[in-house]
Amino acid sequence: MAKAQGGTGALIATVLGSSVAWIDGSVVNVALPAMARALDADSAGVQWIVNGYMLPLSALVLIGGALADSAGRKRTFLAGLLLFAIASIGCMVAPTLGWLIGARVGQGLGAALLVPASLAILGADFEGAARAKAIGTWAAAGAIGGAIGPVLGGWLVDHVGWRSIFALIVPIAVAAGIMGWRFVPDGHDKDAEPPDWYGAMLATVGLGLLVGGLTLMSSGTRGTGAAMIGGGTIALIAFVSLEARLGERAMVPLALFGTRTFTGLTLLTFLLYAALGGTLLLLPYLLIARGWSATAAGTAVLPLPLIMGLGSRAVGGLADRIGARPLLAMGPMVTGAGLALFALLPEGEIDYVRNILPAMLLIGIGMTAAVAPLTTTVMAAVDHRHTGAASGVNNATARIGGMIAVALIGLVLSDNGRGVSLGAFHGAAMTAAVMAVVAGLCGWLLVRPGTG
């Protein structure tokens, strides 16, 4: 039963609040061609429209969780919502590409606060079976948001314009803010460690320079790109050194990586989400460039979230019976088979049932098999004191994998970011397939049997 006065109201607030981040994360892909045309964006600009959001979210989501514990869950949640809503308005009215990218960074900062704070609220406001049910509802809403986002976003792009996808977010954020203000109880952990601000700064600078360098390199600017990659590497080495000195107070406790299983799961997560993230960004882009409407391109990826939403519960039960390790090995390999099918897309007309649907079905089945037991196995791979940190690191790793993949799509975009080279897309699909298969090998070779 709920143990605070928030109850159902708090659950609704967190679901609504997190949904703005889930919808935004999935809806932008189908709008990228329209944004590029309207704001005269080149391939690097297209990449930063996506990674401007992903960078602060990837680097700072762990700080958001620590801030919720130390400064207050309600305060952090509402601050994240306010920032996300203001930044969404900024995206909606953006007159230039630079303005849009800056507003996307603001959205990422807001999401880095509100997403972990929403989970912290559920953890504090519910207990026992009620907590599990609340978190399950929260996760299910995320799956629904991921399914609806591309289809609804495509329809809005086709019939209203790309700016409307950001207008959609504002009333949801306002409703979440009102519910949160009224029903989410104040509270924080008096014993919580202060956020690791220096670690967050080094992680952000390091990832920012690395992603910026890869973006420039993939777009043909070699010298500056290489210098940025070098600077980002130095910053990330300094980050690891700082985290080692901080020990248990670190944003990323390095003790997590003391087990082969956790290291293997981290590699699996990075490779799998890098493979998936790059492909799911490029596929709608390719279809739109070949004459599909944004609505149709968004609908093309619908089998993935539907299969994951419908199958995750059953796969969780299967993992209990046979163990997580076989699923963590076979799931990515099935995903890889689906990605490899995209390398067969023809030069001529692309038929959805013949050319797209089989690949999406395999990817959906493979991702469901891998992702459903992944979080449980991650938390089982570390001691009880580190379960929250392990889950957070795994979540951030998935986002970083997708972000690195997006930084490299300049190798595939053509016509100064307006189109997609089919030959390069075939190469990217095969590269993604190999990465997914290697992820499966990490699951089989590095994950200890019986974990999960």
Side-chain angles (χ1 to χ4, degrees):
M1 60 186 295
K3 65 179 180 181
Q5 71 269 28
T8 302
L11 175 59
I12 293 172
T14 58
V15 167
L16 287 175
S18 298
S19 68
V20 300
W22 291 322
I23 292 172
D24 188 85
S26 63
V27 77
V28 168
N29 288 4
V30 296
L32 282 174
M35 292 179 184
R37 290 192 300 270
L39 299 176
D40 195 28
D42 58 10
S43 59
V46 169
Q47 290 160 279
W48 275 113
I49 291 173
V50 178
N51 278 344
Y53 175 76
M54 292 299 296
L55 174 60
L57 179 55
S58 303
L60 301 177
V61 68
L62 295 177
I63 281 290
L67 197 60
D69 289 337
S70 60
R73 294 175 286 273
K74 179 176 181 177
R75 183 182 304 175
T76 303
F77 178 71
L78 293 178
L81 267 177
L82 178 62
L83 180 55
F84 201 101
I86 293 172
S88 297
I89 294 171
C91 291
M92 182 176 63
V93 303
T96 65
L97 177 64
W99 180 304
L100 176 62
I101 292 172
R104 291 282 288 161
V105 171
Q107 284 187 312
L109 289 170
L113 295 176
L114 72 89
V115 171
S118 67
L119 266 178
I121 288 166
L122 296 180
D125 203 41
F126 294 85
E127 62 183 8
R131 179 187 295 170
K133 185 176 180 180
I135 292 175
T137 302
W138 183 87
I144 293 170
I148 292 174
V151 180
L152 178 58
W155 186 90
L156 288 171
V157 170
D158 287 335
H159 295 90
V160 183
W162 65 266
R163 297 179 188 274
S164 61
I165 66 173
F166 298 109
L168 171 70
I169 289 169
V170 176
I172 301 175
V174 170
I178 293 172
M179 294 292 291
W181 182 268
R182 182 171 181 182
F183 293 109
V184 173
D186 289 312
H188 66 280
D189 184 353
K190 296 178 181 178
D191 300 321
E193 295 284 351
D196 178 11
W197 294 113
Y198 290 114
M201 179 187 69
L202 286 171
T204 303
V205 171
L207 287 172
L209 288 172
L210 181 62
V211 168
L214 289 172
T215 300
L216 291 175
M217 292 279 283
S218 71
S219 302
T221 307
R222 307 287 184 186
T224 305
M228 291 179 70
I229 290 172
T233 302
I234 292 170
L236 291 175
I237 291 172
F239 167 73
V240 172
S241 176
L242 175 64
E243 300 303 275
R245 291 200 304 272
L246 290 176
E248 294 297 313
R249 295 180 291 112
M251 184 172 77
V252 180
L254 298 188
L256 293 174
F257 297 92
T259 68
R260 185 183 73 177
T261 292
F262 185 82
T263 302
L265 291 169
T266 302
L267 289 171
L268 183 157
T269 301
F270 178 85
L271 291 168
L272 185 59
Y273 279 91
L276 186 70
T279 305
L280 291 188
L281 186 147
L282 285 170
L283 179 62
Y285 215 102
L286 173 69
L287 296 177
I288 291 170
R290 299 288 288 275
W292 288 41
S293 68
T295 307
T299 306
V301 301
L302 191 57
L304 174 59
L306 288 179
I307 292 172
M308 293 185 70
L310 294 173
S312 292
R313 186 181 182 90
V315 171
L318 181 62
D320 288 338
R321 291 195 298 273
I322 69 172
R325 184 172 174 241
L327 296 172
L328 292 171
M330 292 304 300
M333 292 184 183
V334 173
T335 300
L339 293 169
L341 289 181
F342 284 135
L344 303 177
L345 289 181
E347 285 279 359
E349 181 180 352
I350 297 175
D351 179 77
Y352 179 72
V353 173
R354 185 171 64 251
N355 302 127
I356 304 293
L357 183 58
M360 291 306 308
L361 291 175
L362 283 176
I363 292 170
I365 293 168
M367 288 298 296
T368 303
V371 171
L374 182 58
T375 301
T376 302
T377 310
V378 164
M379 291 190 290
V382 299
D383 62 65
H384 180 71
R385 294 176 298 120
H386 291 136
T387 53
S391 179
V393 169
N394 188 257
N395 184 278
T397 299
R399 299 180 190 279
I400 292 169
M403 185 171 61
I404 296 297
V406 171
L408 294 172
I409 65 167
L411 299 170
V412 183
L413 297 181
S414 61
D415 192 21
N416 200 28
R418 301 294 191 274
V420 178
S421 163
L422 182 62
F425 179 84
H426 287 165
M430 285 307 302
T431 301
V434 170
M435 292 172 66
V437 170
V438 174
L441 290 175
C442 289
W444 182 254
L445 298 175
L446 299 178
V447 174
R448 182 169 54 85
T451 308

